[in-house]
Amino acid sequence: MDLVSGYKGMVGLVFGNDSSGSNEDSYVERLLDRISNGVLPDDRRNAMAELQSVVAESRGAQLAFGAMGFPVLMGVLKEERDDVEMIRGALETLVSALTPIDHAKGPQNEVQPALMNTDLLSREAENISLLLTLLSEEDFYVRYYTLQILTALLTNSQNRLQEAILTIPRGITRLMDMLMDREVIRNEALLLLTHLTREAEEIQKILVFEGAFEKIFSIIKEEGGSEGGVVVQDCLELLNNLLRNNASNQVLLRETLGFDSIISILKLRGSAYSFTQQKTINLLSALETINLLLMGGSESDPGKDMNKLANRTVLVQNKVLDYLLLLGVESQWAPIPVRCVALRCVGDLIVGHPKNLDTLASKVLGEQPQVEPALNSILRIILRTSSVQEFIEADHVFKSFCERNSDGQTMLASTLIPQPYSMTHAPIEEDVRMSFGSMLLHGLTLGESDGDLETCCRAASVLSHILRDNIQCKERVLRIELESPTPSLGAPEPLMHRMVKYLALASNMKTKDGKTSTKENSYVQPIILKLLVTWLADCPNAIQCFLASRPHLTYLLELVSNPSATMCIRGLGAVLLGECVIYNKSGESGKDAFTVVDAISQKIGLTSYFLKFDEMMKSFLFSSVKPTKLHKPLTRSAAASMAEIDDVDEQDSSDHKNEDHPILSSLFDSHFVNFVKSLEGNIRETIVDVYSRPKSEVAVVPAELELKRGESDKDYIERLKSFVQKQCSEIQNLLGRNATLAENLAKTGGSVSSQLEQRTSGGLDRVQAETLRRDLQEASQRIEMLKAEKAKTESEASMYQNLAGKMESDLKSLSDAYNSLEQANFHLEKEVKALKSGGASTPPDVEAIRAEAREEAQKESEAELNDLLVCLGQEQSRVEKLSARLMELGEDVDKLLEGVGDDMGLPEDSEKEED
């Protein structure tokens, strides 16, 4: 056999030809010869027993057996069915050859003979077919050893064996029959089917049509449900394999047996206070089944959403919510993993389902007279629990409750009624008699006295869900005012101002064990920032409340520029500043968008400010968010240690270069991350637009061009000159801003170019290098076009400069003409007085001449002023167009801008460069 001879050659390469290996090879060979060529039955049976013993103890013997033993033993299984003892010995030897032998010492990359034997045996489909026929034998050990061999083959060569069994007639049917066999055979068949159904949709469907659901639930009931042993766990693992990502099997289960059999496993029997490790694992497996039904099927299944909706409806009709709340909320003696998974299922059960949302909102827990709404109990878990994972899952319930549920948000917000200071700072144990809103406000202000703001930030996370995408709730909560610790010394302050105060205090926060919080373990500031970002979004009144206190803006600027803060904190602070610009509708000086942009420009710098967004988007929280969190299947190996079940998320920070607390990966869901990303572009565009235009747009109204009643000509001209100077000043200010923008653009473009060069020199492949080369050619062509536009812009700017000089000379000549008019008027008045003093009568023609001269001079001055204002208006329009052109240019103009900046020195030249 060529395959065996090649395998035998591999034995020599792996183990060499030393004396010990040669002795084992020869010994195994002699035993195989006695089995195949022996005459006496007892001698052959003894040889089989010796072969099984040596193969079970020696890796060298395993490898030697794999090289030459399979044809001999498969021949025994095929031709000697009547000799039960030989069949048993052959099967037991095969089990030993496929079972790894663990040695404490040995290299990690050492060849595993058991794996190689598994691969060799599973290559021939005839071998699998022969083994399946042995399942119909009457002997117990024959069936038992056969199932063990098939399980070992599935463990190491899963795909190959799945394909082989599908091609064998009645292969799966024979395996299903083993579930009705004796207990030991049944348990071994369960393990085999569990391995067989992993990621094998066709086998899953065949098993279901063979009655797998009925048999699984029958075994679970027989074993005692959640109180049963590891057999219940195996049954639930097989059930989960049949339902995972398989919508058709879920529909079949729902419409035939229903979900009662699954839900009954969640019922606590016996002592509800006793949770053994096996009972905990069984409950977790049953909760995983509920979670699979809530998922509805695979992502690619077109009927997933309808199936998910139907599953949720039927589950709530079957009272599953009661059992989930019992395990997750009321049973505080239950292990933390059970409570966490139960709360996760509650959130997934209600999200996007109006009837289920109403059902949870109306649920009350406890017994008379101490009953309270279920949502209050879940909120208490958030505020009190010492488990971070339990807080995350309870927070998930409120996130699911408030998602696309404006009525539910309004209902929760309506209970937010401020309490007296004595009640607000009462011990947390006294919150049993509080309403939901009072308990939430109690949690928001609880940690102020002792410096522990962890409870506050947890309550802030819940409040952010209530406010998300709901303007009415934002306005309502905006009106909440909290009493000062000493009412006689201070007026009540808005809740938003208190949250900003806690944001500042959080940098020096101490944890419950008295240690000072650091950026590696603190999640308080990011969660409060998330609340403020959610609150200020699309709410101008919230912006005005935030900016009503000048220190808020100052602190936020310091936070964004604080190098000791994490990238996430600085980035969220930058988003908060951006919201104060894009949602700011105020025209009041000191609170308008221009004030915020001006403060950003002076304290941080626009380039540095925009870099905060880039840093945040590169951070782990914003670059690694996934739409849904996929849980690993709860297998025997995963459930072997409770440490692998409990608070898994606490270990995330060790697996990633993440400076933020691992809890934020769960709280910063995809909705919030995508919302922040969508804000970034709007913030950049709006801030640049506000920065590049004048603070106040001056509209020239016709009344300012007319002579006011009772105003002298001199005052009129002075007023017009003042107006023109104001316009010129604003134009110069605009040119200065554009020059600053051009400089920032040049710096940013230069840094990007240097990064590209470093990446190319760092070893990018040829395809990327060729792409960069083409981009460089396109950039060169664009620069040539920009140079031509620059020359045209320079000529236009020169023309406008000459025109401005001409207008200045015209204004001077106008002033000289007016002075001449005044002198002529003075001489006329002097002559009139002389005539009057000479006794002559007042000549009527003097006044007419005087009026005619004044009217003619006034018309001439008005015409010249109109021409001057028209020219100034045209110049301002040109400047605005050039500024807009600058905004449209990309990063490729940086070298052009640097060159022009070196050659030009006048403000008009800066305008030409920007264009």
Side-chain angles (χ1 to χ4, degrees), residues 509-564:
M509 185 192 76
K510 292 185 177 180
T511 57
K512 291 182 178 180
D513 56 4
K515 297 180 180 179
T516 302
S517 175
T518 61
K519 68 180 182 181
E520 285 80 10
N521 57 23
S522 173
Y523 52 87
V524 174
Q525 279 188 309
I527 293 180
I528 296 179
L529 283 169
K530 178 189 175 185
L531 168 63
L532 294 175
V533 168
T534 304
W535 199 344
L536 267 59
D538 201 20
C539 186
N541 290 336
I543 301 293
Q544 293 310 304
C545 180
F546 179 82
L547 296 176
S549 177
R550 181 65 183 178
H552 291 175
L553 181 59
T554 303
Y555 169 72
L556 204 55
L557 293 168
E558 293 176 354
L559 182 65
V560 173
S561 57
N562 184 6
S564 62

Side-chain angles (χ1 to χ4, degrees), residues 17-24:
N17 295 317
D18 58 359
S19 58
S20 61
S22 178
N23 291 336
E24 288 179 340

Side-chain angles (χ1 to χ4, degrees), residues 325-594:
L325 290 174
L326 177 63
L327 287 173
V329 182
E330 294 185 276
S331 300
Q332 291 303 305
W333 54 87
I336 289 179
V338 174
R339 300 205 303 265
C340 290
V341 179
L343 287 171
R344 169 67 58 171
C345 289
V346 171
D348 294 338
L349 186 67
I350 64 174
V351 62
H353 196 296
K355 290 185 179 180
N356 292 359
L357 287 169
D358 294 339
T359 303
L360 177 62
S362 60
K363 282 290 181 185
V364 292
L365 303 180
E367 298 178 356
Q368 294 291 348
Q370 293 184 347
V371 296
E372 68 173 351
L375 291 175
N376 289 29
S377 299
I378 298 174
L379 177 61
R380 184 176 296 106
I381 291 175
I382 291 177
L383 301 180
R384 289 188 181 185
T385 182
S386 59
S387 168
V388 173
Q389 189 65 31
E390 189 174 15
F391 156 55
I392 292 174
E393 304 304 346
D395 183 79
H396 172 71
V397 175
F398 281 102
K399 172 182 172 294
S400 302
F401 182 81
C402 295
E403 187 172 336
R404 300 190 301 275
N405 182 21
S406 58
D407 293 339
Q409 290 174 302
T410 304
M411 182 267 292
L412 295 179
S414 64
T415 64
L416 291 168
I417 302 174
Q419 301 293 319
Y421 182 80
S422 57
M423 279 293 295
T424 305
H425 289 74
I428 195 170
E429 291 76 13
E430 297 185 8
D431 61 4
V432 179
R433 295 181 297 273
M434 294 183 182
S435 66
F436 177 88
S438 300
M439 194 189 311
L440 184 60
L441 291 175
H442 184 212
L444 285 170
T445 58
L446 184 64
E448 180 181 2
S449 58
D450 58 2
D452 178 17
L453 298 177
E454 185 174 347
T455 304
C456 167
C457 90
R458 293 183 178 187
S461 180
V462 176
L463 182 59
S464 68
H465 300 317
I466 297 175
L467 301 182
R468 192 178 90 179
D469 300 331
N470 194 316
I471 298 298
Q472 294 181 351
C473 290
K474 293 178 182 180
E475 299 283 355
R476 179 189 292 270
V477 178
L478 204 59
R479 295 190 291 269
I480 295 178
E481 293 187 344
L482 303 176
E483 284 189 8
S484 174
T486 52
S488 60
L489 298 180
E493 62 177 336
L495 176 61
M496 176 178 285
H497 290 195
R498 185 70 63 88
M499 298 313 299
V500 179
K501 174 184 174 183
Y502 292 160
L503 176 65
L505 291 175
S507 58
N508 297 321
M509 185 192 76
K510 292 185 177 180
T511 57
K512 291 182 178 180
D513 56 4
K515 297 180 180 179
T516 302
S517 175
T518 61
K519 68 180 182 181
E520 285 80 10
N521 57 23
S522 173
Y523 52 87
V524 174
Q525 279 188 309
I527 293 180
I528 296 179
L529 283 169
K530 178 189 175 185
L531 168 63
L532 294 175
V533 168
T534 304
W535 199 344
L536 267 59
D538 201 20
C539 186
N541 290 336
I543 301 293
Q544 293 310 304
C545 180
F546 179 82
L547 296 176
S549 177
R550 181 65 183 178
H552 291 175
L553 181 59
T554 303
Y555 169 72
L556 204 55
L557 293 168
E558 293 176 354
L559 182 65
V560 173
S561 57
N562 184 6
S564 62
T566 65
M567 291 187 294
C568 174
I569 292 176
R570 295 196 300 266
L572 290 176
V575 172
L576 208 56
L577 284 173
E579 287 184 322
C580 291
V581 176
I582 62 176
Y583 298 122
N584 195 325
K585 307 299 182 184
S586 174
E588 182 180 353
S589 177
K591 297 181 181 180
D592 57 353
F594 185 88

Side-chain angles (χ1 to χ4, degrees), residues 254 258-259 263 309-319:
R254 183 177 71 238
F259 296 152
I263 297 174
L309 186 64
N311 286 348
R312 293 177 179 180
T313 302
V314 174
L315 283 170
V316 172
Q317 290 174 353
N318 292 341
K319 309 297 182 183

Side-chain angles (χ1 to χ4, degrees), residues 502-779:
Y502 292 160
L503 176 65
L505 291 175
S507 58
N508 297 321
M509 185 192 76
K510 292 185 177 180
T511 57
K512 291 182 178 180
D513 56 4
K515 297 180 180 179
T516 302
S517 175
T518 61
K519 68 180 182 181
E520 285 80 10
N521 57 23
S522 173
Y523 52 87
V524 174
Q525 279 188 309
I527 293 180
I528 296 179
L529 283 169
K530 178 189 175 185
L531 168 63
L532 294 175
V533 168
T534 304
W535 199 344
L536 267 59
D538 201 20
C539 186
N541 290 336
I543 301 293
Q544 293 310 304
C545 180
F546 179 82
L547 296 176
S549 177
R550 181 65 183 178
H552 291 175
L553 181 59
T554 303
Y555 169 72
L556 204 55
L557 293 168
E558 293 176 354
L559 182 65
V560 173
S561 57
N562 184 6
S564 62
T566 65
M567 291 187 294
C568 174
I569 292 176
R570 295 196 300 266
L572 290 176
V575 172
L576 208 56
L577 284 173
E579 287 184 322
C580 291
V581 176
I582 62 176
Y583 298 122
N584 195 325
K585 307 299 182 184
S586 174
E588 182 180 353
S589 177
K591 297 181 181 180
D592 57 353
F594 185 88
T595 301
V596 179
V597 174
D598 201 43
I600 294 174
S601 174
Q602 293 180 8
K603 301 294 185 179
I604 304 176
L606 292 186
T607 302
S608 178
Y609 171 74
F610 290 142
L611 284 177
K612 306 303 178 187
F613 290 97
D614 299 332
E615 293 174 355
M616 179 177 64
M617 293 307 167
K618 294 177 183 177
S619 66
F620 174 75
L621 292 176
F622 285 83
S623 61
S624 303
V625 170
K626 298 180 180 179
T628 55
K629 185 177 179 181
L630 301 177
H631 298 278
K632 294 181 180 180
L634 188 62
T635 60
R636 267 197 182 192
S637 58
S641 172
M642 288 298 294
E644 296 182 12
I645 305 174
D646 196 2
D647 274 349
V648 178
D649 289 345
E650 290 289 350
Q651 304 170 2
D652 287 351
S653 59
S654 61
D655 299 332
H656 306 282
K657 295 180 180 179
N658 180 17
E659 62 178 350
D660 298 297
H661 197 285
I663 188 178
L664 298 178
S665 298
S666 300
L667 297 182
F668 280 34
D669 57 347
S670 58
H671 179 277
F672 178 73
V673 171
N674 293 333
F675 170 69
V676 171
K677 290 181 178 179
S678 66
L679 279 181
E680 179 187 358
N682 192 11
I683 289 173
R684 289 177 182 268
E685 182 179 350
T686 305
I687 286 182
V688 172
D689 178 65
V690 172
Y691 186 78
S692 61
R693 59 181 168 84
K695 179 179 180 180
S696 57
E697 297 181 358
V698 181
V700 179
V701 294
E704 296 189 16
L705 300 177
E706 297 178 357
L707 181 66
K708 295 181 179 180
R709 182 178 299 178
E711 184 180 26
S712 66
D713 295 338
K714 183 176 181 181
D715 293 338
Y716 175 55
I717 293 175
E718 289 295 330
R719 182 164 56 84
L720 291 179
K721 287 177 64 177
S722 174
F723 175 77
V724 172
Q725 290 175 355
K726 183 178 179 181
Q727 289 278 38
C728 291
S729 175
E730 292 193 356
I731 290 174
Q732 294 296 327
N733 186 25
L734 178 62
L735 292 173
R737 289 180 178 274
N738 289 339
T740 303
L741 284 175
E743 181 182 355
N744 292 338
L745 182 61
K747 291 180 179 179
T748 305
S751 63
V752 172
S753 299
S754 62
Q755 290 176 5
L756 289 176
E757 292 173 0
Q758 291 174 2
R759 290 176 58 189
T760 303
S761 61
L764 288 176
D765 56 24
R766 295 181 179 179
V767 176
Q768 291 175 319
E770 183 64 25
T771 302
L772 290 176
R773 191 177 298 109
R774 288 198 301 268
D775 293 343
L776 182 59
Q777 292 176 355
E778 293 176 0

